[in-house]
Amino acid sequence: MTTSPPADAHLREELTSRESLAKGNFLEVRRDTVKLPDGHSATREYVVHPGAVVVIPLLDDGRVVLERQFRYPVGQVMIEFPAGKLDAGEDPLVCGQRELLEETGYRAREWARAGAMHLAVGYSTEIIHIYFARGLSLGERQLDHGEFLDVFTATPDELLGWCRDGSVTDAKTLACALWLQNTGSGAWALDWQGDSARG
């Protein structure tokens, strides 16, 4: 029995060789040689990333929990939702629960997976899983050694205003603001689960 090729076959590139250019503690830079759809060859240089999770923490009064953190590559303090990279083999929900507690001190009673985003498809494999958290209770933060950040709260309207005026330029936070806006209006639904639910 034969099957028809996928509709995107005329766009796909085929790996012919791979070279590792650099490998750090959690990132690797690769240069692949690929065969293009027209038969020609090209190189693709990209960063291999383990993936990450971002959390949109909702307080009972409607505000959201945000962070301010200095990001060395861009040389500035950024406004962001809590987030962190996945450990090897880690469930994204477990990562989100861990990062929320470590960075903000909050635990959540309920979680909802919103979706995922590819952050920089031209040069990175990074995927970020998006979770909402509600029913928050505040405890002690457990920051990693060498981690410095401020935790604060804002209304969704304040956050959207900062997205509009350029105060927020972090891509994951901009994408989460879209989710927040659409779930808040009822346009997009979430499937809430207890805190022991998995992804």
Side-chain angles (χ1 to χ4, degrees):
M1 179 177 152
T2 59
T3 58
S4 57
D8 59 0
H10 64 291
L11 301 173
R12 292 190 172 273
E13 300 174 355
E14 186 179 318
L15 175 68
T16 59
S17 66
R18 170 166 294 155
E19 177 185 6
S20 180
L21 301 179
K23 192 164 187 177
N25 290 331
F26 78 99
L27 296 176
E28 180 182 0
V29 181
R30 291 179 181 168
R31 179 188 292 132
D32 288 358
T33 301
V34 298
K35 180 181 174 184
L36 300 174
D38 66 2
H40 289 89
S41 291
T43 58
R44 301 286 184 248
E45 294 180 352
Y46 61 100
V47 176
V48 179
H49 188 284
V53 174
V54 61
V55 180
I56 304 168
L58 304 174
L59 292 167
D60 291 344
D61 64 5
R63 291 175 297 143
V64 293
V65 179
L66 294 161
E67 299 174 354
R68 294 178 68 251
Q69 184 171 188
F70 181 76
R71 294 298 195 174
Y72 183 83
V74 294
Q76 64 187 85
V77 173
M78 306 292 283
I79 296 172
E80 307 174 48
F81 278 110
K85 70 177 181 65
L86 289 162
D87 291 336
E90 187 176 28
D91 182 285
L93 175 58
V94 172
C95 177
Q97 292 169 333
R98 173 175 52 79
E99 290 294 337
L100 181 64
L101 177 61
E102 288 178 359
E103 295 186 356
T104 71
Y106 282 103
R107 295 181 188 271
R109 188 175 61 253
E110 292 183 289
W111 291 80
R113 185 180 188 278
M117 70 185 108
H118 289 93
L119 209 60
V121 294
Y123 62 87
S124 176
T125 64
E126 183 175 8
I127 185 169
I128 300 182
H129 305 273
I130 306 167
Y131 281 87
F132 280 75
R134 71 182 181 187
L136 303 182
S137 57
L138 183 60
E140 290 293 320
R141 293 197 296 172
Q142 302 169 15
L143 293 175
D144 292 335
H145 176 73
E147 191 173 29
F148 303 92
L149 55 88
D150 291 338
V151 177
F152 70 105
T153 64
T155 66
D157 283 345
E158 286 172 329
L159 174 60
L160 290 171
W162 297 331
C163 293
R164 184 179 58 249
D165 71 17
S167 298
V168 171
T169 59
D170 172 60
K172 68 182 178 299
T173 303
L174 290 168
C176 288
L178 177 69
W179 272 96
L180 184 63
Q181 188 175 42
N182 281 282
T183 56
S185 72
W188 296 356
L190 293 170
D191 181 18
W192 289 97
Q193 304 290 326
D195 67 1
S196 62
R198 292 292 178 265

